Amino acid sequence: MGHYILVLLDENRLERIKGSDVENNIKAMFGGELKCIEVNVPEELSQKILKTFDTARIDARGAITDLPVAFMREFFNQIAEKKSIGPEVIEATLAKADQIKELAAKESEYLPPPDIQI
Amino acid sequence: MSSLLIERPLPHGGRLVERVVRDKEVAKKMIKGCPSYDIKPTLHYETGVPVRNVYREIMSICYGFFSPVEGSMTQAEVERILKERRLLNEWIFPFPLVFDISKEDYKKLGVTKGDRLVLNLKGKPFAILDIEEIWEIDNLEEFAHRVFGTPEDNPEVVKHKFDKKHPGWVIYRSHQPVVLAGKYTIINEPKFRPPFDRFWFPPRKCRAKFDELGWRTAIAHQTRNVPHVGHEFLMKNAAYTGDIEPCHGILVNAIIGVKRRGDYPDETIVEAQEAVSTAGYIKPERRLVSLCLWDMRYGNPLESLLHAIIRQNMGCTHHMFGRDHAAVGEYYDMWATQILWTKGIPSFGFDKAPTDVPYGVHIRPQNMREFAYCPVCKEMAYSETCGHKREGISGSLLRGMVAEGVQPPSVILRPEVYKVVVKWWKHFGYPFCNEKYVRDKERDLEVDLEDL
């Protein structure tokens, strides 16, 4: 059974992938109100993710969940930079595992708030 | 007037308890020469993390939320509750409430029956306890099991034996063994800090507020969460219950107490609930956000009984109950609360619903199922009405979105509610309760006290 990572997209993220092939993979939830991408993860990389990040797990739908927020941010950054959802974005994210782990350790105490007008 | 009109029920027990002395000179005379004791948080019996502060119980008792309870319970009263969920005066009540101290503190204090003990909070005199009895809890683990029930003794609803993963069980397991029983009286009214101050509607004030708003009928909504649109629809639709017209108002009552990592901060919860009204999704004239101090026991059907008592005391005519009400884990049947309010749970002392037993409650339960988004109806739809496949709003999905800084769409979280989440996120540096928040909250509590 293949695994995947669900990447949520808000207006800001949609803007960053606008015009790329990644747009063709956007799925809609909640009547189109929430956009997301399901990024397929090859088995070898799934195992590597699970081994690298001890909070990660595979849920009943086959989704890899409970990844550090720092991982998810970097993962989307790689998608936006490479305009791709291929294995190379997973590999590029995993290449920054040490940096992500460092951020993940801090993120149990601090998470940068979104820059929105209150 | 129609005979079908429902009137506001009397408080549980017939009258509101209000044990608050507001005259400082009188208070000073009351405590002159009395021994005093600094209230300590109850610490987890293994980890030492704060799990309860008895000051919250003293507040809720003295301001009448738990009427007719007036103080720390005697051994006979606790026994009666554990056997039949009734106070010695016959009125039903779900949980033991005691002022517990360690044997060492008891020896140091040297108090006996008949003594008046001054209870200090944050270094200031706060309340008195007139000691009527001193007794010991023999076996704290057994005590904790008896509070929540066991699969053997309560097979109708208890599915798994309680253990240290259950935060309510941990609270009772972490009690100290010596109980000082007797009536409490607050002699120095604490002042709530913002934003909690504007949500403080103790029963007498709440009933007066209902009068001011012209509410004859009001339905209570229990919360410990930031409201998503599913909650909003639950409130709106449950409020259609009433008598010959929908309920005049919705009372949102947030239980404020000790937090666990990963919960939303209490400041976020009360202001996010308020935002639903101020933004007009349910107009403020029909919705009031309030709070009650209590360290949640997560006792599902038992907790629902306490909620019913609190909200009846606050003046509500109805109370909505959903799946897994005030539950954590799978210790109870997910519909245990609705079973209690439909036919009773005999092993807990209720061979009928708590509204139908002698000395029971008079608030009317409204058992609700679930709301989820239907992409065909293009709206939040009720599980028992909509025939399409719906998309549920899970807490983990929302939390994941919030943590990633992805603004949830307005169909699942109102933008005004999200702004409140971000406001307190900026304040605390974190959207949820982290270790620092939990530690600071139990140090600072929700109130400050003036000198007496």
Side-chain angles (χ1 to χ4, degrees):
Chain A
M1 180 178 157
H3 302 134
Y4 67 93
I5 297 173
L6 185 74
V7 179
L8 300 166
L9 304 170
D10 62 2
E11 291 301 321
N12 181 31
R13 287 184 170 184
L14 284 167
E15 190 60 34
R16 289 183 64 192
I17 56 172
K18 201 171 177 182
S20 71
D21 287 346
V22 176
E23 272 192 322
N24 301 332
N25 297 286
I26 294 174
K27 291 187 174 178
M29 294 169 72
F30 298 105
E33 293 285 337
L34 179 62
K35 304 288 196 302
C36 63
I37 308 171
E38 288 179 6
V39 180
N40 290 317
V41 183
E43 183 58 26
E44 187 193 342
L45 289 175
S46 288
Q47 291 310 317
K48 201 167 176 186
I49 289 170
L50 293 173
K51 202 173 164 186
T52 309
F53 300 101
D54 56 9
T55 58
R57 67 185 184 90
I58 294 171
D59 74 7
R61 302 165 303 165
I64 303 174
T65 65
D66 294 85
L67 284 156
V69 173
F71 178 97
M72 297 305 292
R73 285 183 201 273
E74 182 56 33
F75 191 46
F76 178 77
N77 283 340
Q78 292 298 331
I79 291 171
E81 272 177 29
K82 295 185 166 52
K83 310 289 185 214
S84 161
I85 56 168
E88 67 273 19
V89 296
I90 305 167
E91 283 162 357
T93 309
L94 281 169
K96 293 191 172 182
D98 288 344
Q99 193 184 328
I100 291 170
K101 278 184 180 177
E102 206 173 300
L103 288 169
K106 288 178 192 163
E107 78 190 17
S108 65
E109 285 306 312
Y110 177 78
L111 277 174
D115 188 20
I116 64 161
Q117 195 76 28
I118 295 175
Chain B
M1 296 294 274
S2 165
S3 62
L4 298 176
L5 294 185
I6 295 171
E7 293 301 323
R8 186 180 305 159
L10 287 172
H12 190 50
R15 67 173 183 88
L16 270 183
V17 168
E18 199 166 15
R19 302 186 61 83
V20 182
V21 174
R22 295 185 170 91
D23 185 323
K24 288 195 175 185
E25 292 311 310
V26 172
K28 281 180 196 168
K29 282 181 194 162
M30 288 174 78
I31 65 169
K32 197 174 178 186
C34 297
S36 67
Y37 179 82
D38 292 329
I39 289 176
K40 298 174 182 173
T42 303
L43 304 178
H44 190 296
Y45 71 104
E46 284 186 345
T47 65
V49 172
V51 294
R52 163 198 180 229
N53 192 310
V54 72
Y55 114 85
R56 298 192 178 101
E57 287 159 40
I58 297 172
M59 288 285 282
S60 288
I61 288 170
C62 290
Y63 282 98
F65 289 91
F66 296 166
S67 298
V69 175
E70 293 189 286
S72 168
M73 296 173 178
T74 62
Q75 186 170 19
E77 190 136 75
V78 168
E79 272 303 311
R80 182 118 200 251
I81 284 180
L82 295 177
K83 281 181 186 157
E84 302 171 66
R85 307 290 158 175
R86 281 182 189 277
L87 302 167
L88 290 176
N89 62 14
E90 300 299 330
W91 294 93
I92 64 174
F93 200 83
F95 292 121
L97 300 174
V98 294
F99 191 85
D100 53 309
I101 61 172
S102 68
K103 288 182 180 177
E104 295 73 31
D105 282 351
Y106 175 50
K107 270 183 203 160
K108 268 188 227 164
L109 264 177
V111 289
T112 57
K113 181 179 168 180
D115 285 348
R116 169 169 288 174
L117 183 63
V118 180
L119 306 176
N120 299 323
L121 185 68
K122 298 172 85 170
K124 306 272 174 67
F126 161 54
I128 53 173
L129 168 57
D130 287 310
I131 302 171
E132 294 165 25
E133 181 186 294
I134 298 170
W135 62 281
E136 276 193 38
I137 304 170
D138 294 334
N139 182 331
L140 286 162
E141 189 153 325
E142 185 192 324
F143 175 58
H145 281 307
R146 291 181 70 199
V147 169
F148 294 98
T150 64
E152 295 77 28
D153 295 337
N154 311 93
E156 309 100 310
V157 291
V158 181
K159 300 296 171 199
H160 300 288
K161 191 174 179 181
F162 282 67
D163 54 27
K164 62 184 175 187
K165 287 182 186 163
H166 189 279
W169 186 89
V170 166
I171 287 178
Y172 282 103
R173 174 62 185 82
S174 302
H175 271 44
Q176 294 295 330
V178 179
V179 174
L180 306 181
K183 290 177 182 170
Y184 299 123
T185 307
I186 289 175
I187 43 98
N188 186 14
E189 277 194 285
K191 302 280 180 275
F192 279 87
R193 280 195 305 280
F196 302 118
D197 50 354
R198 66 178 188 273
F199 302 104
W200 178 237
F201 288 94
R204 185 175 303 284
K205 186 178 168 189
C206 190
R207 285 170 172 255
K209 184 70 180 175
F210 285 7
D211 288 338
E212 182 191 319
L213 291 164
W215 293 1
R216 177 173 45 77
T217 53
I219 188 162
H221 174 70
Q222 153 65 25
T223 190
R224 265 178 61 83
N225 220 332
V226 162
H228 57 58
V229 180
H231 294 128
E232 181 190 311
F233 272 70
L234 170 71
M235 285 184 249
K236 282 174 176 168
N237 285 277
Y240 283 119
T241 311
D243 42 37
I244 61 168
E245 56 188 357
C247 277
H248 295 162
I250 299 166
L251 178 74
V252 177
N253 192 225
I255 294 292
I256 301 295
V258 74
K259 304 298 288 187
R260 292 187 301 156
R261 285 181 66 167
D263 291 345
Y264 282 101
D266 282 331
E267 292 84 349
T268 311
I269 292 169
V270 288
E271 286 202 343
Q273 289 285 352
E274 182 184 44
V276 171
S277 299
T278 50
Y281 298 104
I282 305 175
K283 62 182 182 180
E285 293 83 358
R286 285 185 87 89
R287 188 167 175 273
L288 180 68
V289 181
S290 60
L291 63 84
C292 173
L293 295 174
W294 169 244
D295 297 313
M296 275 265 286
R297 301 321 198 237
Y298 297 93
N300 195 326
L302 298 171
E303 202 87 24
S304 79
L305 182 55
L306 182 71
H307 290 164
I309 290 168
I310 292 169
R311 282 78 195 234
Q312 179 178 323
N313 287 332
M314 294 178 82
C316 291
T317 48
H318 298 75
H319 199 307
M320 58 186 91
F321 295 114
R323 187 192 76 175
D324 276 332
H325 183 87
V328 62
E330 294 177 344
Y331 299 92
Y332 289 109
D333 184 299
M334 70 167 74
W335 300 109
T337 286
Q338 304 203 358
I339 292 170
L340 174 71
W341 293 98
T342 304
K343 60 181 183 181
I345 301 173
S347 66
F348 277 138
F350 304 109
D351 57 357
K352 295 176 191 162
T355 45
D356 296 347
V357 296
Y359 300 95
V361 293
H362 299 296
I363 197 168
R364 293 160 187 251
Q366 179 63 18
N367 288 342
M368 299 291 288
R369 295 268 166 164
E370 294 161 291
F371 282 87
Y373 184 79
C374 173
V376 180
C377 302
K378 296 196 186 304
E379 63 180 12
M380 280 292 161
Y382 189 51
S383 58
E384 309 308 294
T385 310
C386 175
H388 306 121
K389 190 177 177 198
R390 296 170 306 282
E391 297 175 55
I393 306 174
S394 77
S396 58
L397 175 69
L398 265 180
R399 286 166 43 80
M401 294 174 78
V402 168
E404 279 191 64
V406 174
Q407 179 163 353
S410 61
V411 73
I412 60 175
L413 194 78
R414 301 301 189 189
E416 295 86 351
V417 171
Y418 183 67
K419 280 185 180 178
V420 172
V421 172
V422 175
K423 172 189 165 183
W424 288 103
W425 183 348
K426 287 182 174 177
H427 181 83
F428 293 119
Y430 205 69
F432 311 113
C433 297
N434 55 18
E435 203 171 313
K436 183 177 185 303
Y437 179 91
V438 173
R439 192 178 59 237
D440 291 353
K441 181 180 168 67
E442 287 313 294
R443 180 195 64 208
D444 300 338
L445 305 174
E446 298 82 8
V447 297
D448 289 316
L449 289 95
E450 293 173 352
D451 290 327
L452 188 61

